[in-house]
Amino acid sequence: MSALFEPITLRETTIPNRVWMAPMCQYSAEPEGPAQGAPQDWHFVHYAARATGGTGLILVEATAISPEGRISPYDLGIWNDTQVAAFRRITRFLAGQGTVPGIQLAHSGRKASTDRTWKGGAPVGPDAHGWQPLGPSPVAFADGHPVPDELTVDQIMEIVDQFVAAARRALAAGFEVAEIHGAHGYLINEFLSPHSNHRTDAYGGSYENRIRFALEVVDAVRAVWPDDKPLFFRISATDWLEDAGWTVDDTVRFAGELHAHGVDLLDVSTGGNASGVRIPTGPGYQVPFAARVKTETPLRTAAVGLITDAEQATKIVANDEADAVLLGRELLRNPSWARHAARELGDAVRVPDQYHRSV
């Protein structure tokens, strides 16, 4: 068996292989009404196809813990029981295919209230289902974006409680893995980075203060997420800024803190918190960040970033650069990527009975 198709057990959850689906927003939920934020037929088909294609773990896209925590009016949410019931249809099917269902719990912070990406992703106002964004400091993400309202301490505590309620609902919806979204310039990432966090109270200034909110969320979620189920954290390992930003050294230091607070795996991405930044991309360009965390801390990692072929993915896991790979665009292009990779590597191919002719 190749390293890519070895099972991995985190706490008491066994994931059948190391080919995982990264969270990718579909911007396809209803923006208002009784079904606001609930997964629709598109979401079911989208995730079901990757499960029948052999993906070991599917992390459902950034799912907002509150209406104002959405990136766009069309985001998924998990702040009410209607949403929970709709998610159960997805998690039940994924589990039935042998895929572990996971969910990314998110608050978009100052990057909230924007249009769908294929329509440009510009900020939208109340006439297009928009709202006023919130953030750690009154600092806009970019020119043309609104200045967010600075969160009060009471509001910060309320958001921690919303993460807790969302985690409870995620469990009721049948998810086996919960991931806290601390990357890509959304709220938790905004608190971590001095580029976006200009506070002078206990949540800003020093490194210890800037990580406070993130650790409060982790502690609160870990307290209600079952001990036998893993908790992930997604991070942007660097802001890609020369100075005044979050760095890979900060990430390594923070990874040790996350491990001590009960996080089981760091999902390592980069960027998203500063506009206009030039990122040097290329095959596997973010893998070294995951590898450094894995080498220098006890925390397990998953790698992302232009991982496109089976041999490349296998080497990442076999060389101990990461414990798993998270595929994004490749799984959009080919829902059965895992099945094709297994065949290419000579591993057992997991195929639904209905597709036995394809073996």
Side-chain angles (χ1 to χ4, degrees):
M1 180 180 292
S2 69
L4 193 62
F5 285 91
E6 290 180 359
I8 181 172
T9 299
L10 301 170
R11 297 197 179 236
E12 295 182 24
T13 297
T14 297
I15 303 169
N17 60 49
R18 315 299 180 95
V19 181
W20 301 353
M21 182 174 176
M24 291 176 284
C25 289
Q26 298 297 292
Y27 305 110
S28 297
E30 292 295 329
E32 61 181 13
Q36 183 187 51
Q40 305 296 308
D41 286 348
W42 174 266
H43 300 95
F44 179 84
V45 172
H46 172 64
Y47 292 114
R50 278 80 196 167
T52 58
T55 307
L57 165 70
I58 289 177
L59 285 172
V60 168
E61 64 203 79
T63 304
I65 60 169
S66 66
E68 61 273 15
R70 293 171 294 169
I71 302 166
S72 84
Y74 305 93
D75 281 18
L76 291 179
I78 193 158
W79 64 80
N80 66 44
D81 292 341
T82 298
Q83 296 157 350
V84 169
F87 273 121
R88 283 198 195 105
R89 180 186 178 211
I90 294 173
T91 60
R92 188 164 52 243
F93 185 87
L94 267 56
Q97 298 303 310
T99 296
V100 174
I103 187 170
Q104 186 182 70
L105 305 177
H107 192 297
S108 59
R110 66 177 183 166
K111 294 176 76 174
S113 190
T114 58
D115 207 346
R116 290 172 284 196
T117 53
W118 57 86
K119 292 195 171 184
V124 296
D127 59 334
H129 310 291
W131 61 95
Q132 173 61 26
L134 305 168
S137 303
V139 180
F141 169 65
D143 292 342
H145 284 247
V147 175
D149 289 344
E150 182 174 272
L151 289 162
T152 66
V153 172
D154 285 345
Q155 287 174 312
I156 291 170
M157 293 297 97
E158 181 181 355
I159 290 172
V160 173
D161 290 342
Q162 289 168 346
F163 269 101
V164 169
R168 287 186 168 124
R169 286 194 169 97
L171 183 65
F175 288 101
E176 292 290 322
V177 174
E179 176 173 274
I180 296 168
H181 198 352
H184 301 158
Y186 300 121
L187 186 63
I188 292 176
N189 190 185
E190 293 164 17
F191 270 91
L192 293 174
S193 174
H195 175 74
S196 46
N197 184 346
H198 298 178
R199 299 176 74 99
T200 58
D201 63 3
Y203 290 93
S206 68
Y207 163 85
E208 289 78 11
N209 283 356
R210 286 184 282 110
I211 69 170
R212 187 183 308 277
F213 173 59
L215 292 181
E216 287 177 347
V217 171
V218 167
D219 286 344
V221 171
R222 183 74 268 181
V224 300
W225 193 246
D227 287 341
D228 62 344
K229 298 185 188 300
L231 178 64
F232 293 5
F233 190 99
R234 191 166 216 194
I235 197 163
S236 284
T238 175
D239 285 339
W240 295 103
L241 294 170
E242 292 293 330
D243 52 24
W246 182 261
T247 70
V248 64
D249 289 337
D250 293 326
T251 294
V252 172
R253 182 180 179 186
F254 185 49
E257 297 272 5
L258 291 173
H259 181 263
H261 285 255
V263 169
D264 300 289
L265 180 140
L266 193 64
D267 174 357
V268 186
S269 187
T270 65
N273 194 41
S275 65
V277 175
R278 296 184 66 182
I279 299 175
T281 62
Y285 72 102
Q286 296 181 118
V287 174
F289 298 99
R292 185 170 166 194
V293 171
K294 185 165 174 57
T295 299
E296 298 183 27
T297 79
L299 199 56
R300 293 178 181 264
T301 66
V304 301
L306 290 179
I307 300 168
T308 58
D309 65 72
E311 183 178 355
Q312 175 198 22
T314 301
K315 286 180 178 178
I316 291 167
V317 178
N319 293 343
D320 219 23
E321 296 175 276
D323 295 282
V325 294
L326 282 157
L327 304 186
R329 290 174 177 84
E330 278 303 301
L331 276 173
L332 295 183
R333 298 182 188 107
N334 179 5
S336 296
W337 190 96
R339 189 190 310 157
H340 295 161
R343 184 175 290 112
E344 179 181 336
L345 296 168
D347 287 306
V349 179
R350 178 162 61 94
V351 179
D353 291 340
Q354 296 89 336
Y355 289 177
H356 73 278
R357 296 177 185 88
S358 68
V359 176

